[in-house]
Amino acid sequence: MPDPGSDEVMVRTLHSGVSRGTETLVFQGRVPENQWATMRAPFQAGDFPAPVKYGYLNVGVVEAGPAHLLGRTVFCLFPHQTRYVVPVASVTVVPDGVPAARAVLTGTVETAVNAIWDAAPQLGDRISVVGGGMVGSSVAAVLAGYPGADVQLVDADPARRAVADALGVDFALPEHAREERDLVIHASASPAGLSRSLELLRTEGTVVELSWYGDREVPLRLGEGFHSRRLTIRSSQVGGIAPQRGRSYAERLGLALRLLRDDRFDALITGRSGFAELPALLPRLSDGSLPALCHVIDYPDGN
């Protein structure tokens, strides 16, 4: 480990989180070559397709650096690693009231915040979130507090009902989901989920597409009511903030951390393992034999 410079900190990791959707695609070598530059993690080592050191949900304690940060718990977009040195500007202090393990959700909640900014819901909107994974559930959790909104989480897995209950939103299987929705945020990463999202919309409704499919082709039937009902599909990606928002990345990250004071987000942490278990754990998360939303990695000497 290098000694930190005057504008750097050394962080000892307490917990990291496996971002199951994106990290599974990376683990399987399914990042398309034309997206290699776009999909680089901020502190990635190596190049796609492999070998790479990848990850971006890291919470640790500052062991060396400026006096005002010593001993503080911080979030950083760093891979799974026990200690690391980064610029001071790359860490964000975790606010009081946010447990360190819950703070690994910061990057995912930040994605949810960005999606909701892109969606721009109106007071009293009828909103469905299709896909109850880590990102979709985070979107539903944030929207649950939106004034007057009718929010329903839709997923093909009946077990997601328990997550929806914990978040305080309604739940439905795709075939029973409410229709005539003003807005649908899609996060199932499946063509069937995107098709169903379009079916749920009212005339002139909008689907905000959060799923990232890697190198998969996505067939979509647009020859039926798509044009006559004047539907819209809009992409949302955490790598950019809509200019009309007038917000910085630091402001978005800070907002995500403040939202995590809400203990309902604990419902998104569905498993924990030790750092040494990662080589055996990642294949199981990747092939689906270990179902999970956010799987937290606990580090030696962590809290």
Side-chain angles (χ1 to χ4, degrees), residues 9-301:
V9 290
M10 178 181 287
V11 179
R12 172 173 56 86
T13 304
L14 301 174
H15 312 280
S16 61
V18 179
S19 179
R20 187 167 175 265
T22 303
E23 289 192 54
T24 290
L25 289 171
V26 172
F27 187 80
Q28 295 172 340
R30 290 174 51 204
V31 179
E33 186 171 353
N34 62 9
Q35 294 297 303
W36 285 359
T38 301
M39 288 304 299
R40 286 191 69 87
F43 293 99
Q44 174 178 321
D47 297 308
F48 295 124
V52 292
K53 180 168 65 178
Y54 198 86
Y56 46 82
L57 302 174
N58 190 300
V59 177
V61 60
V62 175
E63 291 194 321
H68 70 282
L69 288 175
L70 286 177
R72 301 297 299 273
T73 300
V74 295
F75 174 82
C76 184
L77 297 167
F78 204 90
H80 310 281
Q81 184 168 311
T82 56
R83 276 180 173 82
Y84 53 91
V85 173
V86 294
V88 168
S90 297
V91 301
T92 302
V93 173
V94 175
D96 294 340
V98 180
R102 189 190 302 161
V104 303
L105 293 166
T106 302
T108 306
V109 175
E110 187 180 10
T111 300
V113 168
N114 203 66
I116 293 168
W117 282 352
D118 286 338
Q122 302 293 312
L123 190 69
D125 268 359
R126 299 160 294 185
I127 307 170
S128 293
V129 181
V130 175
M134 190 172 168
V135 172
S137 293
S138 294
V139 172
V142 176
L143 285 173
Y146 203 82
D150 167 15
V151 180
Q152 185 174 65
L153 182 63
V154 180
D155 197 278
D157 183 356
R160 293 285 191 255
R161 182 181 296 276
V163 176
D165 289 344
L167 298 178
V169 298
D170 190 35
F171 175 83
L173 296 171
E175 60 269 28
H176 301 307
R178 290 198 284 271
E179 300 185 352
E180 291 297 303
R181 311 302 275 173
D182 301 295
L183 182 64
V184 177
I185 298 178
H186 178 237
S188 81
S190 72
L194 180 54
S195 293
R196 185 58 177 144
S197 296
L198 289 168
E199 292 171 353
L200 297 180
L201 289 174
R202 62 165 174 81
T203 297
E204 298 201 350
T206 297
V207 168
V208 174
E209 177 58 281
L210 266 181
S211 301
W212 192 69
Y213 300 90
D215 59 359
R216 293 173 59 196
E217 292 189 6
V218 182
L220 192 61
R221 296 175 65 179
L222 300 179
E224 297 177 349
F226 180 77
H227 289 282
S228 64
R229 294 169 58 214
R230 297 173 59 85
L231 304 182
T232 298
I233 302 174
R234 179 177 182 181
S235 67
S236 178
Q237 209 276 339
V238 73
I241 299 174
Q244 60 267 30
R245 281 288 159 189
R247 302 292 183 90
S248 68
Y249 290 97
E251 288 175 311
R252 188 180 67 185
L253 187 64
L255 174 57
L257 276 163
R258 293 194 299 275
L259 289 170
L260 281 167
R261 288 192 174 109
D262 190 333
D263 60 11
R264 291 178 305 132
F265 284 98
D266 286 336
L268 305 188
I269 297 174
T270 54
R272 299 178 75 150
S273 300
F275 176 69
E277 300 174 64
L278 267 173
L281 174 70
L282 282 171
R284 297 180 62 208
L285 289 173
S286 181
D287 65 16
S289 59
L290 178 62
L293 293 178
C294 178
H295 199 95
V296 171
I297 307 303
D298 299 317
Y299 286 68
D301 303 321

